[in-house]
Amino acid sequence: MTIDVVPLDPRDDEAVTQAYRIRRASASATVADLPPRGRREVAAGIRQPMPGQQVRALLAVVGGTPVGFATLHLPMLDNTGNAELDIAVHPDHLRRGVGRALHGYAVRLARELGRKRIVGEVVSGLPDGPPRDPAGSAFAAAMGATAVLDEVRRRLDVGTVDWPALDAAYAAGRRRAAGYSTICWAGLTEPGHLADIAYLNSRLMADAPIGDLVWEQENIDVTRQEAEERLLVDRGRRLYSAAARDDATGRLVGFTRIMFAATDAWHAYQQITLVDPEHRGHRLGAAVKIDNLRYTLTHEPELCVVDTWNATDNEQMISINELLGYRPLDIWQAWQLTL
């Protein structure tokens, strides 16, 4: 069987459609409980990457039929020695060398572009969680990569939230948060708050555990923050945010966000939650997450479940998530290959 790997022309609508179909089939077979990305979002990821990134998309073709799809994301403003690789193979063509062919092409391309490392992610099962195919981890190891960071996906079933218990915990935490208030908003961050949110987002790689992953702290300024949010909204993402405000200065010193895909009302992602180190110890992280969950539900009454990811040693954030009712589902491993 001959496998041809070719660059995907972003202007080719049929090629983009084939890539979407491959990715959807692969995702449905790998993690069926996550809603697959819609065509609009897959196309946008190929044609209009996030600010500060370039993307190279690849198709694996057998007998004239696309059977595999890969994207190589290239940070251009920081982490310029790194590349992120995502490979999807149609379930009907697994274990026939398609993934290996895509990986080999991507490695050669990354080297040509001066990259020193490639990072990819695979999902594995937990002892009490739903079954997951171990083939992803086996493939990454066979390609010479090393597992560098474990993150557990936890899911919140909104219908099982113990609101009286959460209200009591919230009230107790608020007694430690005198001098701070919460603001919530849907969609884009207003211009006057962009600098504070950009600063907090820039702290992610410095504050969150990253294991042995080689990844620099990102430099996110107001321009980049605004551009990222606008691009997400243009892709149809719905954003709900909450921030802790230091009432003495008016600065936003804690931040969290829940995000919906364009095609889904029942499912959302709990994203970043950060508190400025100078303002920790006041239960601000828990407060903004609880406030934001309430706020989101007033706008999205069909919401059923929320998924979030935490490094296994991020004890503080795990404790907050478990307070809200998040429970472990599976483990997502970052694998890093040094070129």
Side-chain angles (χ1 to χ4, degrees), residues 73-90:
H73 288 269
L74 305 163
M76 304 301 292
L77 300 177
D78 39 48
N79 291 287
T80 55
N82 292 348
E84 294 181 84
L85 177 61
D86 181 68
I87 295 175
V89 177
H90 195 283

Side-chain angles (χ1 to χ4, degrees), residues 18-34 36-37 67-69 86-94 123 133:
Q18 292 293 339
Y20 156 69
R21 289 172 178 166
I22 292 166
R23 197 186 194 290
R24 182 182 181 92
S26 174
S28 296
T30 305
V31 191
D33 66 336
L34 274 177
R37 294 180 186 175
V67 298
F69 166 54
D86 181 68
I87 295 175
V89 177
H90 195 283
D92 294 343
H93 296 269
L94 291 173
V123 60
D133 190 341

Side-chain angles (χ1 to χ4, degrees), residues 285-305:
V288 294
K289 291 189 84 161
I290 295 170
D291 282 330
N292 200 39
L293 179 60
R294 291 185 192 278
Y295 180 74
T296 300
L297 286 169
T298 65
H299 290 78
E300 302 278 352
E302 296 179 49
L303 177 62
C304 297
V305 298

